[in-house]
Amino acid sequence: MAQRRLTDFFASRRPGLRAAPPRAKPAWRTPSPAKPAPRGPAPGPGPGSSRKRARPPAEPTRDEPAPPARRRLRLPAAEGLCPQVTGPSFPAAPGSPEHSSPGKKTKKTALSTQLTCLEAREDKVPSKVTLSELKSCLQRAQELGARVQELRASAQRKDAGEPGALEDKGYLAGPCGEKVPAYQRFHTLAQPGPPGLVLPYKYQVLAEMFRSMDTIVGMLHNRSETVTFAKVKRGVQDMMRKRFEERNVGQIKTVYPGSYRFRQERLLPTFKDGVRRSDYQLTIEPLLDPQSGSPAPQLTASCLLHRRQVFSQNLVARVREHHRAFLASLNPPMEVPEDQLTRWHPRFNVDEVPDIEPAELPQPPAVKVATAQEVLARARSLMSPKMEKALSDLALRTAQPSSPGSPSLALPATPPTTAPAALKGVSQALLERIRAKEAQKQLAQMTRCPEQEQRLQQLERLPVLAHVLRNIFVSERKPALTMEAACARMVGSYSMAMSHEEMEKHVRLLSELLPDWLSLHRIRTDIYVKLDKAADLAGVTAQLARLARAEAAL
């Protein structure tokens, strides 16, 4: 029985109006994409109807079948994979069996159709993955092929005496074969301040090791305590947070032979369980000049500072030797006096200087054994099975001849005398004049003092500062400005941070080079700057640039 609406009740109770009969409910139809569901006739305003607008159809009655509660999910990508499923997701006609009996059969049919579509879609996915894998493998093979060709070409160039391409790019190998980090390969390029006689990174680390070692040795020596390598090693590693081995002590002895005296001694207190008093230990004794009036010389702070300076000078002297060999290998060769050298050659790679060979330290005397059986027993007790296997493998590898193309860290070889293909057809005399001029320019750059370098930097800034100063005079509309006001405005307008005193030096240099364009006048206690605004600024900047180039060529 259909449920009556509240509006029908009020219409029947209204006097003079008869109750409107209940409207016929349209049959429930599921919408179809091919044919829209029929609707009942729209109720028009009649004499017995209400003035309210018509409402949507009410809930279906219990006698009519209810539509399925869940709609089937259709994937948009599955339509192209399942051409056999062309119908809509809902039944097209109300009289179809799916509409009349929405039960388990309809759901099973929909699920089976969706599973078929998903299986067909999954069958096509592995082909795309396989294609991408094949492309990546092909690209990897091409990269490996190019790498092999590059290695072969570098090996051929090395056999012919030319530097390898990998070494030219800076891919140097460390002592154990691994690639040296970039902060070590380009250490000199990252140093702050003006360029000078900068030490390589490994030499600076060795200098820091010597400073730490000298500090520890001085503390123990001043307390009249026997200085052993074990004590110094522990102290240096705590100070530097780096490994300190006997090899580093040998390098320190090579650089500064007169710093310490090394001996092997026994019967020393060790205060350790693993070291016996009968074992030999490496002792370190600082070599000091005897002081007047003191039986035992002390390692004072001034003495430590002096020894550190001597060690640094010895390191610089070693780099100078490699730099001298590099200058002799150039074309044409160059020779720079040692007292005039203020910086290294631009093409001299400081960080590629070879390591310092460690000097031999005293070794403990060999322990005498009675029989061969004792030797074998002692060797077996010291070595594990893994160590024996590793030693045997090492012996087999060392027995094989070493490959001729093994990488080695050395100074760059002498460049070939033959001209490259790019300079084919250029006269040899012109090339010699260009090389001589370049060598003269590099020689002037290497022997330039810091004062000249500072003056060159000021000359390079003058063209821009001339623009700034003229704009200030034009904006102020005054024939003269005080030095303080002009410098303050220039400091605020210049792109680089500069102090008031430095800007005043630039203004004075401008007045020195161009007295007709810029002049300084002292009136009482103030200095006034007067500028010729009618002069051609382009000619002024060109003249300043010409003066800077002439100064740099000297």
Side-chain angles (χ1 to χ4, degrees):
M1 180 177 179
Q3 183 179 0
R4 298 179 64 88
R5 292 189 298 178
L6 189 61
T7 54
D8 298 339
F9 173 75
F10 282 107
S12 61
R13 297 289 295 173
R14 192 175 292 177
L17 295 177
R18 60 182 181 88
R23 289 179 293 179
K25 304 271 193 249
W28 182 269
R29 296 176 184 272
T30 305
S32 172
K35 182 179 179 182
R39 297 183 179 179
S49 63
S50 173
R51 294 186 179 180
K52 295 184 180 179
R53 61 181 179 179
R55 293 190 177 186
E59 297 290 337
T61 59
R62 296 182 181 178
D63 299 337
E64 298 177 355
R70 296 183 180 177
R71 297 182 179 179
R72 286 179 293 172
L73 176 64
R74 292 191 62 186
L75 299 176
E79 297 177 358
L81 298 177
C82 304
Q84 70 275 13
V85 184
T86 57
S89 59
F90 295 99
S96 62
E98 293 182 3
H99 179 272
S100 59
S101 59
K104 296 182 179 180
K105 185 176 180 180
T106 304
K107 296 182 180 180
K108 288 181 179 180
T109 306
L111 289 175
S112 62
T113 306
Q114 294 176 8
L115 289 176
T116 306
C117 297
L118 291 176
E119 289 175 359
R121 187 181 182 184
E122 290 176 357
D123 292 338
K124 293 187 178 182
V125 172
S127 63
K128 297 181 181 179
V129 177
T130 305
L131 183 60
S132 61
E133 290 179 355
L134 288 176
K135 287 183 179 180
S136 61
C137 292
L138 180 60
Q139 184 179 2
R140 179 62 177 167
Q142 292 176 355
E143 292 177 358
L144 291 177
R147 178 68 175 171
V148 169
Q149 292 179 1
E150 185 179 358
L151 291 176
R152 286 179 181 175
S154 62
Q156 292 176 1
R157 285 195 297 269
K158 191 171 291 184
D159 295 340
E162 300 178 4
L166 296 179
E167 294 182 0
D168 294 343
K169 294 179 182 178
Y171 295 97
L172 302 178
C176 300
E178 68 273 5
K179 180 181 174 183
V180 179
Y183 72 91
Q184 296 184 15
R185 286 186 283 120
F186 309 108
H187 172 260
T188 55
L189 302 179
Q191 295 303 310
L197 300 180
V198 183
L199 291 175
Y201 176 78
K202 45 194 172 186
Y203 283 19
Q204 291 191 3
V205 172
L206 188 63
E208 187 68 18
M209 286 182 175
F210 175 77
R211 185 189 69 82
S212 304
M213 178 180 176
D214 222 21
T215 303
I216 301 298
V217 171
M219 287 172 26
L220 297 177
H221 175 76
N222 294 340
R223 293 188 305 197
S224 301
E225 186 176 345
T226 304
V227 184
T228 61
F229 173 72
K231 300 177 183 178
V232 174
K233 178 181 179 180
R234 184 171 61 253
V236 172
Q237 290 183 161
D238 290 344
M239 292 177 65
M240 294 191 60
R241 295 294 187 263
K242 292 181 181 293
R243 292 180 61 86
F244 186 71
E245 304 293 344
E246 290 190 10
R247 179 176 178 274
N248 305 121
V249 179
Q251 290 177 337
I252 291 174
K253 183 179 179 182
T254 302
V255 177
Y256 194 0
S259 57
Y260 302 105
R261 181 186 293 113
F262 302 95
R263 288 193 298 265
Q264 288 285 345
E265 299 182 8
R266 56 188 304 184
L267 302 178
L268 297 176
T270 58
F271 305 104
K272 287 186 177 181
D273 297 336
V275 183
R276 297 173 296 180
R277 290 177 58 90
S278 59
D279 294 341
Y280 283 91
Q281 299 185 53
L282 181 64
T283 60
I284 304 171
E285 180 184 356
L287 297 177
L288 304 174
D289 297 332
Q291 301 175 359
S292 59
S294 59
Q298 297 288 321
L299 200 58
T300 58
S302 59
C303 187
L304 290 175
L305 184 59
H306 173 69
R307 289 161 63 92
R308 190 189 313 171
Q309 292 175 353
V310 172
F311 191 84
S312 300
Q313 292 173 2
N314 293 346
L315 288 177
V316 174
R318 285 186 166 269
V319 183
R320 283 177 185 267
E321 295 177 1
H322 295 288
H323 184 255
R324 193 182 306 113
F326 173 80
L327 294 180
S329 66
L330 294 176
N331 185 19
M334 297 178 60
E335 185 177 357
V336 183
E338 295 295 335
D339 55 344
Q340 299 180 8
L341 184 67
T342 57
R343 69 184 65 191
W344 308 121
H345 193 274
R347 287 186 294 178
F348 177 64
N349 196 342
V350 185
D351 293 309
E352 289 186 5
V353 174
D355 289 343
I356 299 174
E357 293 295 332
E360 293 184 3
L361 298 176
Q363 300 296 327
V367 180
K368 297 181 179 180
V369 291
T371 61
Q373 189 69 23
E374 294 180 3
V375 174
L376 292 176
R378 181 162 184 164
R380 286 170 184 166
S381 63
L382 293 177
M383 290 189 300
S384 61
K386 291 184 179 180
M387 186 181 295
E388 292 180 1
K389 185 178 179 181
L391 290 176
S392 61
D393 295 343
L394 180 61
L396 292 176
R397 287 198 301 269
T398 53
Q400 299 176 357
S402 59
S403 59
S406 59
S408 61
L409 180 62
L411 288 176
T414 305
T417 56
T418 59
L423 300 177
K424 187 176 182 180
V426 183
S427 63
Q428 192 68 21
L430 178 60
L431 291 177
E432 292 297 333
R433 287 199 301 270
I434 293 175
R435 290 193 183 104
K437 189 174 182 180
E438 184 180 359
Q440 182 181 2
K441 182 180 178 180
Q442 292 171 353
L443 179 62
Q445 184 179 1
M446 287 187 293
T447 57
R448 191 177 296 148
C449 61
E451 291 78 9
Q452 294 177 352
E453 185 70 25
Q454 185 178 5
R455 180 179 174 85
L456 282 178
Q457 292 178 359
Q458 292 177 355
L459 288 175
E460 291 176 356
R461 301 190 191 109
L462 288 185
V464 181
L465 290 176
H467 275 278
V468 174
L469 186 59
R470 187 180 182 278
N471 293 338
I472 291 173
F473 270 89
V474 171
S475 63
E476 290 290 339
R477 297 180 180 180
K478 293 180 180 180
L481 293 173
T482 60
M483 178 69 77
E484 294 183 0
C487 291
R489 292 288 303 274
M490 292 177 70
V491 167
S493 303
Y494 192 53
S495 59
M496 191 177 68
M498 195 176 299
S499 63
H500 188 277
E501 291 76 11
E502 293 177 351
M503 189 60 69
E504 186 175 349
K505 292 180 181 179
H506 287 79
V507 174
R508 291 182 181 275
L509 184 59
L510 267 175
S511 64
E512 178 185 346
L513 297 177
L514 302 174
D516 298 336
W517 182 68
L518 183 69
S519 58
L520 302 180
H521 303 276
R522 188 174 190 88
I523 301 176
R524 295 192 182 93
T525 59
D526 296 334
I527 298 177
Y528 286 86
V529 181
K530 189 174 182 180
L531 181 70
D532 185 9
K533 293 184 285 186
D536 185 17
L537 186 59
V540 171
T541 54
Q543 186 176 358
L544 290 174
R546 186 167 57 254
L547 291 174
R549 287 195 299 269
E551 189 84 13
L554 295 178

